[in-house]
């Protein structure tokens, strides 16, 4: 009696695939969120002391956005090596680059110590952060989707996406713990001087511990069977970028604009809302100026909602929990009904959500009612964020064949970061000022980005039934 041979175990066990794709993006997004938080709370004071709050914030956000410009460069470099030599080594290199840059920011001297060179050094390290993130996301998405069981690519693709909400929660929890631990001689509502002197550095230095853990997991990976099959067949290209630009330029354009609304929503819900939510109201700023014996011009002041930093970050963390839940839920839905159909509905929802900014974010006479509206805004926004971000881990890689998948998905994802993420905090801050402290123009900006994404989705084709085994690229 003959016995059939037992099936071969997958080269990368499911637990290793999920952990490796999740932990790397968690660390990368942790590093990015640490900078984003410091860009609002610390860097305008310590690195850009212009004497004008709005100008200092814009300069801080400009350096924040500069990293997005470096991301497509990282996408090309890491994508080239990832498509030529494999995903594993590229993922390790991107994580190590990001970790070193973040760690060094924790040691930077401030403007008072070395003048404008402090901002220059911050910019350089920020560019390295962006360069590294340009290669990180696509590699993690490919590790997840190229090792996924049949019919579960979108579900597996949500795990690298889940690193975004987890990284946000860890980063902001670290900031909160430091803020609680430091003395507040002028009261808990006033930022601690110890936080400005050295407390802000701790989250950057803490990233080294997380990077070591991430490297240990990723070094255990082996190449996916999908990449090995493309390599064996001779489909690997010497210059993947040239092949992508020549053969898949339309997919690059579609992928870039499919991701646009996700990026704009993402950075409005994190960076802009933190700045808007924690900036003092006109009345609060007037009272603070009177107490300090300083002049105050209410006609030029750009008001915020006046929430304390701790209160608002806790509200954001509550919203980000929904971000994580809806990221995971979106995967099975996208596997069932298709990525395109799901995202068309979610993108339409983002467009409507943008029109409601002034409903949720305008100060109310009752502070409790105002707080409830803002919390509802954060929950709805982050629910939409999870639902749109989750399927991207599968959709963008599926637009491209195996031999250029790393390069193509990385370029689309990261060029979109310039149009969306790099510009969003800057444009939003300028629109906030132009509207005299009202957020309604910021919401219109989000709705406009949703229209562009909806058009790109409408012009694209469904990708859920594409077979990775046969779609290795032209020989």
């Amino acid at each position: 009696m003959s016995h059939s041979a037992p099936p071969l175990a997958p080269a990368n066990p499911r637990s290793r695939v999920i952990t490796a794709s999740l932990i790397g993006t968690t660390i990368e997004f942790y590093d990015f969120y640490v900078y984003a938080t410091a860009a609002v709370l610390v860097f305008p004071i310590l690195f850009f002391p212009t004497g004008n709050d709005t100008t200092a914030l814009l300069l801080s956000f400009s350096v924040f956005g500069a990293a997005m410009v470096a991301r497509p460069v990282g996408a090309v470099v890491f994508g080239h090596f990832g498509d030529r030599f494999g995903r594993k080594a590229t993922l390790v290199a991107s994580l190590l680059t990001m970790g070193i840059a973040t760690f060094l920011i924790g040691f930077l001297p401030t403007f008072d110590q070395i003048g404008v060179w402090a901002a220059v050094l911050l910019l350089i390290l920020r560019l390295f952060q962006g360069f590294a993130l340009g290669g990180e996301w696509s590699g993690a998405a490919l590790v997840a989707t190229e090792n996924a069981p049949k019919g579960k690519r979108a579900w597996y693709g949500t795990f690298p996406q889940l690193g975004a909400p987890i990284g946000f929660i860890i980063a902001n929890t670290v900031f909160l713990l430091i803020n609680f631990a430091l003395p507040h001689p002028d009261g808990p509502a006033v930022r601690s001087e110890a936080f400005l002197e050295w407390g802000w550095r701790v989250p950057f230095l803490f990233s080294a511990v997380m990077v070591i853990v991430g490297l240990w997991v990723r070094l255990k990976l082996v190449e996916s069977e999908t990449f090995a099959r493309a390599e064996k067949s001779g489909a690997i290209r010497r210059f993947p970028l040239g092949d992508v630009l020549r053969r898949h330029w339309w997919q690059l354009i579609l992928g870039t604009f499919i991701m646009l609304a996700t990026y704009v929503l993402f950075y409005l819900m994190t960076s802009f809302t933190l700045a808007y939510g924690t900036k003092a109201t006109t009345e609060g700023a007037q009272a603070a100026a009177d107490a300090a014996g300083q002049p105050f011009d209410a006609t030029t002041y750009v008001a915020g909602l006046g929430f304390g930093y701790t209160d608002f970050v806790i509200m954001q963390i509550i919203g980000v929990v929904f971000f994580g839940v809806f990221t995971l839920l979106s995967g099975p839905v996208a596997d069932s009904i298709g990525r395109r159909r799901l995202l068309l509905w979610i993108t339409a929802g983002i467009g409507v959500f943008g029109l409601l900014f002034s409903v949720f974010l305008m100060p109310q006479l009752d502070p409790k009612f105002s707080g409830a509206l803002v919390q509802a805004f954060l929950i709805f926004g982050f629910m939409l964020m999870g639902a749109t971000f989750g399927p991207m881990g599968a959709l963008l890689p599926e637009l491209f064949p195996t031999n250029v998948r790393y390069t193509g998905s990385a370029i689309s994802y990261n060029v979109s970061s310039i149009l969306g993420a790099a510009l969003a905090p800057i444009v939003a801050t300028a629109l906030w000022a132009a509207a005299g402290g009202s957020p309604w123009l910021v919401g219109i900006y989000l709705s406009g980005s949703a229209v562009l994404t909806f058009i790109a989705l409408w012009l694209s084709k469904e990708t859920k039934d594409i077979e990775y085994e046969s779609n290795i690229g032209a020989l």
Side-chain angles (χ1 to χ4, degrees):
M1 182 177 180
S2 61
H3 296 278
S4 59
L8 293 175
N12 287 304
R14 179 184 305 178
S15 59
R16 188 180 301 168
V17 170
I18 292 173
T19 304
S21 60
L22 173 61
I23 195 168
T25 51
T26 297
I27 295 167
E28 301 278 0
F29 280 105
Y30 166 86
D31 290 350
F32 244 53
Y33 287 135
V34 163
Y35 185 95
T37 302
V40 173
L41 299 177
V42 177
F43 293 155
I45 300 169
L46 298 183
F47 289 85
F48 308 101
T50 62
N52 181 286
D53 290 345
T54 301
T55 302
L57 186 61
L58 281 170
L59 287 171
S60 183
F61 276 149
S62 296
V63 174
F64 178 71
M68 309 303 174
V69 179
R71 283 173 63 165
V73 179
V76 170
V77 173
F78 287 112
H80 174 84
F81 287 104
D83 280 329
R84 282 213 64 191
F85 304 109
R87 319 316 195 192
K88 175 182 173 178
T90 310
L91 275 171
V92 170
S94 67
L95 182 61
L96 194 58
T97 303
M98 183 75 168
I100 291 173
T102 305
F103 185 72
L104 290 178
I105 288 176
F107 287 104
L108 281 181
T110 64
F111 183 89
D112 287 343
Q113 294 169 312
I114 62 170
V116 71
W117 285 106
V120 172
L121 291 174
L122 180 63
L123 174 62
I124 292 171
L125 292 177
R126 184 67 182 147
L127 290 173
F128 272 103
Q129 279 190 316
F131 176 77
L133 191 57
E136 163 61 31
W137 177 85
S138 293
L142 265 57
V143 164
T145 58
E146 288 184 347
N147 288 281
K150 186 176 179 64
K152 293 186 177 181
R153 267 205 311 262
W155 164 239
Y156 269 58
T158 61
F159 287 101
Q161 310 300 77
L162 194 60
I166 292 175
F168 179 93
I169 291 172
I170 295 174
N172 283 282
T173 299
V174 170
F175 267 110
L176 284 176
L177 290 174
I178 293 168
N179 191 46
F180 278 128
L182 294 176
H184 293 74
D186 298 322
V190 180
R191 187 182 292 119
S192 168
E193 286 301 315
F195 181 79
L196 287 176
E197 289 174 6
W198 61 269
W200 67 271
R201 300 179 184 274
V202 176
F204 290 95
L205 302 177
F206 176 68
S207 69
V209 177
M210 300 177 66
V211 168
I212 292 170
V213 175
L215 289 174
W216 178 75
V217 174
R218 286 191 167 177
L219 285 169
K220 289 178 171 290
L221 285 172
V222 296
E223 291 299 342
S224 69
E225 291 182 12
T226 301
F227 180 81
R229 189 178 296 110
E231 192 173 36
K232 186 176 181 180
S233 68
I236 300 301
R237 319 312 295 172
R238 292 186 62 185
F239 187 50
L241 176 62
D243 203 68
V244 165
L245 295 176
R246 185 173 64 255
R247 298 175 184 268
H248 307 287
W249 58 271
W250 180 237
Q251 287 88 344
L252 284 176
I253 294 173
L254 287 178
T256 297
F257 282 95
I258 284 172
M259 191 68 200
L260 180 66
T262 303
Y263 264 125
V264 174
L265 176 62
F266 183 59
Y267 284 92
L268 291 185
M269 295 305 299
T270 53
S271 296
F272 170 74
T273 56
L274 180 62
Y276 177 69
T278 58
K279 192 171 184 183
T281 61
T282 302
E283 295 77 10
Q286 177 75 67
D290 292 343
Q294 297 176 344
F296 178 77
D297 185 357
T299 60
T300 60
Y301 182 72
V302 180
L305 292 174
F307 286 93
Y309 164 70
T310 300
D311 293 338
F312 197 83
V313 169
I314 291 173
M315 293 167 70
Q316 278 191 317
I317 289 175
I318 292 171
V320 169
V321 171
F322 288 85
F323 179 8
V325 170
F326 275 76
T327 296
L328 285 176
L329 290 176
S330 69
V333 176
D335 277 328
S336 175
I337 70 172
R339 295 78 160 113
R340 180 176 177 270
R341 183 185 299 179
L342 173 62
L343 287 171
L344 281 170
W345 281 104
I346 299 302
T347 303
I350 293 172
V352 173
F353 180 68
L355 300 177
L356 299 176
F357 267 44
S358 58
V359 174
F360 286 103
L361 293 180
M362 290 302 290
Q364 305 295 320
L365 292 177
D366 183 353
K368 291 184 178 179
F369 182 51
S370 181
L373 283 176
V374 173
Q375 185 66 80
F377 170 85
L378 292 170
I379 289 174
F380 289 146
F382 279 118
M383 286 168 57
L384 289 168
M385 184 64 226
T388 184
F389 191 53
M392 296 297 175
L395 188 153
L396 294 185
E398 288 168 350
L399 292 174
F400 304 93
T402 301
N403 63 347
V404 294
R405 184 170 294 133
Y406 204 134
T407 300
S409 59
I411 290 175
S412 293
Y413 184 82
N414 290 292
V415 170
S416 189
S417 78
I418 297 178
L419 301 178
L423 295 178
I426 300 170
V427 172
T429 302
L431 292 174
W432 172 25
S438 169
W440 75 273
L441 283 177
V442 180
I444 297 297
Y445 168 53
L446 175 61
S447 297
S449 71
V451 170
L452 294 176
T453 291
F454 192 92
I455 292 171
L457 285 165
W458 190 263
L459 295 174
S460 67
K461 297 178 180 179
E462 181 54 59
T463 60
K464 84 180 184 74
D465 295 322
I466 288 176
E467 295 288 344
Y468 271 13
E469 291 76 10
S470 58
N471 189 32
I472 62 174
L475 299 178

